Amino acid sequence: MINPEITGKFIAQCRKEKQMTQKQLGEQLGVTDRAVSKCETGGSLR
């Protein structure tokens, strides 16, 4: 089973290593920066 908090931290870590903002990642994925934020905090994976 996927742990939302661990997955979110991994997404945030990868994004930061690429020196991207949540908005930039969202644009590449076709979602809003708010959606990226929810993913990174584990909110949208529950």
Side-chain angles (χ1 to χ4, degrees), residues 1-33:
M1 186 150 203
I2 296 174
N3 182 313
E5 288 82 23
I6 292 173
T7 303
K9 287 180 184 180
F10 178 73
I11 293 168
Q13 178 185 355
C14 291
R15 175 182 59 79
K16 290 174 185 177
E17 285 176 3
K18 303 257 183 213
Q19 298 180 334
M20 295 178 74
T21 64
Q22 289 178 337
K23 184 173 182 169
Q24 290 170 326
L25 179 58
E27 287 172 353
Q28 286 199 354
L29 297 175
V31 298
T32 64
D33 55 337

